[in-house]
Amino acid sequence: MTEDCGRFLAETLVAAGTERDYDVIALEAVQKAREQKKFIPGLGHPVHKERDPRTPVLIAIAEEEGLRGPHLRLFEAIGRVHPQVLGKTLPLNGAGVCGAALADLGLPTDLLRGFALLARAAGLLGQLAEERRRPIANDIYLTVDRNAVYEPRED
């Protein structure tokens, strides 16, 4: 998703040329994707149905660091305009915002997947280290397992 979003944004910006009204560019890109029945990377999340909590945090970090560039601005514009075309509001997801932010750093789109993998691996190592320092996984498992209500699948 990170690579796909970065590539989508980069290609959209190239096609727009010198146009810098991000809402106009975003609206045209979402309309084109809809007409071509293509998926818009960075929109929607299987768990965070209304808002991905990572997205505003990453945008704020980019802003604080002076790195909120054209890819991120276009990504934000897609978040504003897509409901007009799709008829529903989807959250901008964390993988998409990472693609936009990494593209704004000037990383080639072909490398975005690798950078996202490195970031996720570092996060996983941090979670494993925390689990070793203060084990809670079994308590979580027991709480969830004992409170789970298993229902038959409806086909």
Side-chain angles (χ1 to χ4, degrees):
M1 179 64 61
T2 298
E3 179 182 354
D4 292 343
C5 189
R7 180 171 280 108
F8 177 79
L9 296 170
E11 290 172 355
T12 300
L13 287 168
V14 167
T18 58
E19 173 72 45
R20 283 297 174 241
D21 184 335
Y22 293 104
D23 283 16
V24 170
I25 298 169
L27 187 58
E28 290 173 3
V30 173
Q31 288 171 333
K32 182 179 176 183
R34 175 74 177 220
E35 289 166 8
Q36 296 175 349
K37 298 183 181 187
K38 290 186 175 179
F39 176 74
I40 301 165
L43 277 181
H45 193 278
V47 175
H48 305 295
K49 300 294 185 187
E50 293 180 26
R51 181 174 180 250
D52 187 331
R54 301 167 296 182
T55 302
V57 173
L58 291 167
I59 291 170
I61 291 169
E63 180 69 32
E64 287 173 19
E65 297 300 321
L67 299 170
R68 192 167 150 242
H71 298 87
L72 199 49
R73 291 177 193 279
L74 177 57
F75 185 67
E76 292 173 280
I78 288 170
R80 289 189 297 271
V81 305
H82 78 273
Q84 298 172 48
V85 178
L86 303 181
K88 61 183 173 181
T89 301
L90 298 169
L92 294 172
N93 64 47
V97 75
C98 285
L102 291 170
D104 277 344
L105 290 175
L107 298 172
T109 54
D110 290 344
L111 298 180
L112 297 184
R113 182 178 303 184
F115 277 96
L117 176 62
L118 286 173
R120 290 190 179 228
L124 179 58
L125 289 173
Q127 288 175 331
L128 291 171
E130 182 62 21
E131 177 62 21
R132 289 195 62 162
R133 187 178 71 76
R134 185 172 162 257
I136 61 168
N138 195 49
D139 292 339
I140 293 170
Y141 170 76
L142 291 173
T143 301
V144 171
D145 189 55
R146 291 202 174 132
N147 292 316
V149 177
Y150 298 99
E151 297 180 9
R153 208 173 106 178
E154 294 180 27
D155 289 341

